[in-house]
Amino acid sequence: QVQLEESGGGPVQAGGSLKLSCTVSGATNRRYRVAWFRQAPGKDREGVAVIYLNTGYTHYIDSVEGRFTISQDNAKNTVFLQMDNLQPEDTAIYYCAADLPTIGTRWSDSGAYKYWGQGTAVTVSS
């Protein structure tokens, strides 16, 4: 059973930075991909970034490209999301999710992920 636990959220002023952590346990298969999603009040959950654990391949949505960086620490079984130059529109609950990639699914499709963390709140004030 794969379990995920996020940490690192909190309040921050616009232009500031936060680093989210997602500790992954039980994922013995290195072919997993781990993604960060976020859900703002009244909006759908959207994929923010993904990393494929075996190759290190990463991808981001346009709105965070150049500001967010997803990375992994294999020794700690942890995936990070470094968020710089945060803006009020980045305010959301951030979730990490993991699953084995399936042909025909997009990394940003929340329905493609079986395992989810409980979420961590990020609030950016202007």
Side-chain angles (χ1 to χ4, degrees):
Q1 179 74 13
V2 177
Q3 294 183 319
L4 308 172
E5 183 172 2
E6 306 97 335
S7 61
V12 64
Q13 290 190 329
S17 299
L18 281 175
K19 187 173 185 177
L20 306 183
S21 299
C22 173
T23 302
V24 183
S25 60
T28 56
N29 190 328
R30 292 295 301 173
R31 294 190 300 111
Y32 275 85
R33 62 184 172 188
V34 177
W36 285 96
F37 286 78
R38 65 185 180 186
Q39 188 164 19
K43 294 188 177 182
D44 293 334
R45 190 171 296 189
E46 68 171 349
V48 174
V50 66
I51 186 166
Y52 289 73
L53 299 184
N54 57 343
T55 64
Y57 172 81
T58 61
H59 193 75
Y60 304 86
I61 56 171
D62 289 345
S63 61
V64 307
E65 184 81 54
R67 298 189 299 125
F68 290 11
T69 303
I70 190 170
S71 62
Q72 61 178 316
D73 183 330
N74 293 335
K76 297 181 179 179
N77 294 323
T78 302
V79 172
F80 303 101
L81 186 68
Q82 175 68 44
M83 306 186 294
D84 298 318
N85 191 22
L86 283 160
Q87 301 300 315
E89 53 266 33
D90 296 315
T91 295
I93 306 294
Y94 282 73
Y95 302 88
C96 63
D99 213 331
L100 296 169
T102 303
I103 294 175
T105 63
R106 298 195 304 180
W107 72 266
S108 56
D109 180 4
S110 61
Y113 294 82
K114 181 177 180 181
Y115 305 105
W116 291 83
Q118 80 288 351
T120 185
V122 172
T123 304
V124 185
S125 58
S126 57

